Amino acid sequence: MTWKRTVCPHDCPDACGILARVDEGGKVVEIKGDPEHPFTRGGLCGKVNRYGERLYSPYRVLHPMRRIGDKGAGRFERISWDEALDEIAGRLQEIIRRHGGESILPYAYAGTMGRVQMMAGHRFFHRIGASRLYRTICSSCAGAAHDYTFGINRTSDPESVVESDMVVVWGMNCVATNIHGFHFMREAQRRGARLWVVDVYRTKTAALADEFVQVRPGTDAALALGMMHVLISEDLLDHDYIAGRTHGFERLKPHVLEHYSPEKASAITGVPVESIIRMGRAYGKARAPFIRSGYGYSRHTNGGMNMRAVACLPGLVGAFRKRGGGYLQSTWEHAELDMDAVTRPDLMSSPTRSVNMVLLGDALLEADPPIMGMYVYNSNPAAVAPDQKKVTRGLRREDLFLAVHEQLFTDTTDYADIVLPATTSFEHPDLYQSYGHLYLQMAQPVTAPVGEAKSNLEVFNLLARRMGLSESVFTDSEEDVIRQALRVEAPAMEGVTYEKLQEGKAIRVNRPVFFDPFADGFPTPSGKLEFHSDQLEARRLPPLPTYVPGVEGFEKADAAYDLQLVTPPSQHFLNSSFGGSITSLKLEEKPRLKIHPEDASRRGIEEGRLVRVFSRRGEILLFAEVTDQTARGVVVSESVWWSKQMPGGKGINTLTSQYTSDLGDGGTFHESLVGVAPYSESSEFSVQEG
Ligand SMILES: Nc1nc2c(c(=O)[nH]1)N[C@H]1C(S)=C(S)[C@@H](COP(=O)(O)OP(=O)(O)OC[C@H]3O[C@@H](n4cnc5c(=O)[nH]c(N)nc54)[C@H](O)[C@@H]3O)O[C@H]1N2
Ligand SMILES: Nc1nc2c(c(=O)[nH]1)N[C@H]1C(S)=C(S)[C@@H](COP(=O)(O)OP(=O)(O)OC[C@H]3O[C@@H](n4cnc5c(=O)[nH]c(N)nc54)[C@H](O)[C@@H]3O)O[C@H]1N2
Ligand SMILES: [Mo]
């Protein structure tokens, strides 16, 4: 028995170091955290501690399959790889001939964060002239908001937070989504820092805070602006930093003083005036305030403005240059890789159209030229994409050819014409980078492919050859692609070489822990942190941080849809990737709706009973959890269950909309108005074990 080193591939900021014990037959029999990983230090979340359940799940796809039932029914027969590849290549070629390359849509996201397997399809789809997928489902809004403010979303080191005296976790449930990052924030708290949490409901993270600030969903800009009012009117500012490092303060000041008194901010956010004043003062007086921003408040139609307003706060107090202070949203861009060498945009003969992935429902039903072929990998759009009724109506189209390369029989494979079995990170090589720390790590397979599984890169190479594409890129191995990605001249990447990574341990990018990420200025047009953005003004968006009501914000509630629904990550799932893992299902127990006791009793809703939840898009069933964790008027469902595990068979994204965020055209998963009513049928529930 040997322990082998690997990396958690899932879409999570922690990118944990893993040790896997493999028996003589090559089977993974035990998993634990790698104590030598400098950031994750031997810890793993519950989901990954039990990863064997996912590797050897009864839902695991073992062989290529062809559909034999109706679309959506998930009935298949086993076929050979040759048959499967011939059919896919043949259908894609026919679609290109009859409808043009843009009639093919690749759909993929971050099922794995590995730089090779995550981006493996780009070369192929660029070369055949397919539509491009505009990858907006997660971080595009946050990315854009920070680009307008800082010039780049490359912010403070999470390890430096230990020397902060005020830590603000803003719109992030770290206990579920960033447990290792949270370790450093708790360390600061142990050393005397006050921990603040800003969220819309009392999460497990909020329960550990010294101060919990409960905002109405989608109103964070008003809270940040109310804090700015306190900072400016009480002169708790770093004037030197403002003068030297920021742009537009002379316009920000009257804007804030005139429009965002704590009273006004309170009326919008629902946060008491005294709390706003106390939070503003604490932030202004802290020696080293540190904001850890999640994605929660970006997933709204006004999410860009919300994020930008919060991102302006460190500029007022000079937080970036204070030891232990700072602001963290993403660390992703600290590692500099040559991703063009991986994705090869040069293989496109001319730029093709780009299809916004959160508008998948509309695209499948209305795009012109129509989408006739779709190839899905690293994603489960039937469960995760908004406006699910439209998405599944599109996937059910008889004239659509759908190939899905998957590890598991998900909601999406149910609609596939051909399903291909995919390797997991335990079975293929890759290079990992993180959006929550500054380490890179390479992993070799720890076990042989399960069943007949093949990696994404391998399948695209095989398909390319089947389609007669002779470019040598389609013979590149994982090692070739990793070497190409690493070919960058950048001070941050000094010492990060293929040979060094081959030793298997995590390697830190070349930066100290305590550094000002903007010591050399901000890569914005002004070279400064932009309180005022000319670029936004040119786009006819508010150039200063501004509260803009959301399309389905609380101001828009009416009698039929009177509650605000938020659908944040749950602790035992990772998006939908653990939707077939039995212990995860058992720990989550049932799909629930958190509803405030007064909202429940007004509707005659009792604890544990099924309720109907409906939005303008559709209706689903959830189990009521009557709790004052959430505020009156706000309901929360921790997501994303596979639809086939849901009572009634419809998933949470039946309720969410295809409205996009103001910046970055991103998903708005936490902004839906719904109605809730009792449901009279029995409230029995059990999970499908396979
Ligand atoms: N266990 C687990 N871990 C995960 C995931 C998972 O599904 N499960 N998902 C992974 C992925 S893909 C990502 S992108 C990250 C996301 O990780 P997070 O950034 O933590 O997740 P978000 O969906 O952005 O929601 C974070 C918090 O924002 C709150 N929120 C929603 N709307 C608002 C608002 O308007 N204002 C404020 N202040 N708070 C609001 C939600 O209630 C939630 O508690 O986590 C990753 N890690
Ligand atoms: N209601 C609601 N919806 C949401 C969110 C929310 O908070 N609320 N969060 C959104 C966010 S932040 C995100 S990032 C998206 C995520 O949406 P997705 O990117 O679709 O993520 P997952 O649901 O985890 O599904 C990833 C799939 O990829 C497969 N996979 C993993 N590795 C590989 C591989 O190497 N090869 C192949 N071929 N397949 C692989 C997994 O088995 C899994 O089924 O969901 C979004 N949807
Ligand atoms: Mo995400």
Side-chain angles (χ1 to χ4, degrees), residues 363-385:
L364 284 173
L365 297 174
E366 293 162 20
D368 180 23
I371 293 162
M372 302 305 293
M374 179 162 157
Y375 185 105
V376 178
Y377 66 108
N378 292 345
S379 183
N380 182 12
V384 304

Side-chain angles (χ1 to χ4, degrees), residues 11-13 47 138 170-174 176-177 198-201 203 215-220 294-297 299-300 435 566 568-575 639 670:
D11 184 353
C12 170
K47 310 180 285 298
C138 177
W170 204 308
M172 185 172 210
N173 183 7
C174 307
T177 63
V198 184
D199 208 298
V200 300
Y201 75 111
T203 59
V215 285
R216 277 196 189 107
T219 65
D220 299 78
Y295 288 97
Y297 54 112
R299 308 203 194 291
H300 292 263
Y435 57 98
V566 175
S570 65
Q571 188 172 359
H572 307 291
F573 290 150
L574 193 133
N575 302 322
S639 299
H670 304 331

Side-chain angles (χ1 to χ4, degrees), residues 459-537:
V459 173
F460 286 116
N461 283 346
L462 289 169
L463 272 177
R465 263 170 273 155
R466 279 260 183 333
M467 290 176 65
L469 311 181
S470 53
E471 288 85 350
S472 66
V473 292
F474 298 116
T475 58
D476 282 347
S477 66
E478 277 90 356
E479 175 175 343
D480 296 330
V481 180
I482 294 171
R483 285 186 186 277
Q484 291 155 10
L486 286 169
R487 228 171 269 150
V488 272
E489 297 282 328
M493 296 301 283
E494 238 163 70
V496 187
T497 61
Y498 189 90
E499 285 63 34
K500 190 95 196 298
L501 287 160
Q502 216 167 9
E503 293 165 17
K505 292 191 189 166
I507 305 180
R508 189 179 162 87
V509 301
N510 186 27
R511 280 188 184 274
V513 171
F514 294 97
F515 65 95
D516 175 351
F518 301 108
D520 301 327
F522 292 82
T524 53
S526 65
K528 297 180 175 179
L529 184 156
E530 297 207 338
F531 295 133
H532 184 278
S533 166
D534 294 340
Q535 294 182 89
L536 283 174
E537 193 161 46

Side-chain angles (χ1 to χ4, degrees), residues 46-268:
K47 310 180 285 298
V48 176
N49 258 320
R50 302 181 303 270
Y51 210 64
E53 263 186 33
R54 193 167 182 281
L55 294 177
Y56 308 116
S57 162
Y59 286 100
R60 188 79 198 256
V61 182
L62 299 173
H63 310 284
M65 301 292 224
R66 177 193 284 126
R67 179 168 65 86
I68 51 172
D70 289 341
K71 293 201 173 205
R75 291 185 51 231
F76 303 100
E77 64 181 3
R78 181 174 168 182
I79 55 174
S80 69
W81 266 105
D82 278 336
E83 286 173 283
L85 293 168
D86 282 342
E87 176 146 353
I88 296 172
R91 293 293 294 270
L92 294 184
Q93 276 167 325
E94 184 194 330
I95 290 167
I96 294 169
R97 206 173 54 246
R98 291 181 46 193
H99 304 276
E102 286 189 332
S103 291
I104 294 168
L105 179 69
Y107 199 96
Y109 200 63
T112 169
M113 300 284 282
R115 302 321 290 137
V116 177
Q117 309 299 352
M118 181 177 170
M119 312 307 270
H122 283 70
R123 299 167 163 206
F124 175 77
F125 292 111
H126 285 151
R127 174 65 182 77
I128 66 171
S131 288
R132 285 173 296 163
L133 187 72
Y134 181 21
R135 296 182 170 221
T136 53
I137 205 160
C138 177
S139 61
S140 66
C141 175
H146 292 88
D147 287 351
Y148 283 115
T149 311
F150 303 152
I152 190 170
N153 189 9
R154 186 186 66 200
T155 45
S156 301
D157 189 329
E159 292 174 67
S160 69
V161 73
V162 293
E163 295 196 15
S164 169
D165 60 341
M166 180 192 191
V167 181
V168 186
V169 173
W170 204 308
M172 185 172 210
N173 183 7
C174 307
V175 168
T177 63
N178 183 212
I179 55 175
H180 296 93
F182 197 47
H183 163 88
F184 292 91
M185 299 178 233
R186 296 278 283 164
E187 175 61 24
Q189 195 184 20
R190 269 189 293 277
R191 296 188 194 180
R194 285 187 81 71
L195 177 64
W196 295 65
V197 169
V198 184
D199 208 298
V200 300
Y201 75 111
R202 205 170 59 248
T203 59
K204 286 190 182 168
T205 308
L208 296 170
D210 301 300
E211 308 266 359
F212 171 44
V213 180
Q214 191 165 19
V215 285
R216 277 196 189 107
T219 65
D220 299 78
L223 176 59
L225 286 155
M227 288 171 69
M228 289 182 202
H229 192 284
V230 177
L231 295 171
I232 295 170
S233 58
E234 300 191 9
D235 195 21
L236 300 170
L237 302 166
D238 183 335
H239 291 285
D240 177 62
Y241 193 86
I242 290 170
R245 305 295 188 93
T246 71
H247 171 76
F249 180 69
E250 67 298 340
R251 281 177 279 193
L252 178 70
K253 182 175 172 179
H255 170 73
V256 168
L257 292 179
E258 197 173 317
H259 300 293
Y260 295 102
S261 66
E263 290 72 20
K264 176 86 183 294
S266 172
I268 298 169

Side-chain angles (χ1 to χ4, degrees), residues 11-13 113 292 295 328-332 433-437:
D11 184 353
C12 170
M113 300 284 282
R292 186 6 163 166
Y295 288 97
L328 167 63
Q329 211 281 323
S330 175
T331 57
W332 187 252
Q433 137 190 34
S434 158
Y435 57 98
H437 60 65

Side-chain angles (χ1 to χ4, degrees), residues 605-660:
I605 287 169
E606 289 165 30
E607 172 68 25
R609 301 291 298 182
L610 271 180
V611 291
R612 293 169 45 226
V613 188
F614 39 93
S615 75
R616 293 193 173 84
R617 275 74 56 186
E619 171 172 324
I620 68 170
L621 299 177
L622 291 168
F623 291 94
E625 179 185 347
V626 180
T627 170
D628 67 3
Q629 267 186 297
T630 188
R632 274 184 301 268
V634 178
V635 287
V636 178
S637 183
E638 294 177 349
S639 299
V640 174
W641 287 68
W642 284 357
S643 302
K644 57 187 161 201
Q645 297 284 6
M646 292 282 287
K650 294 201 181 74
I652 190 72
N653 280 313
T654 307
L655 302 173
T656 57
S657 76
Q658 295 181 74
Y659 294 129
T660 53

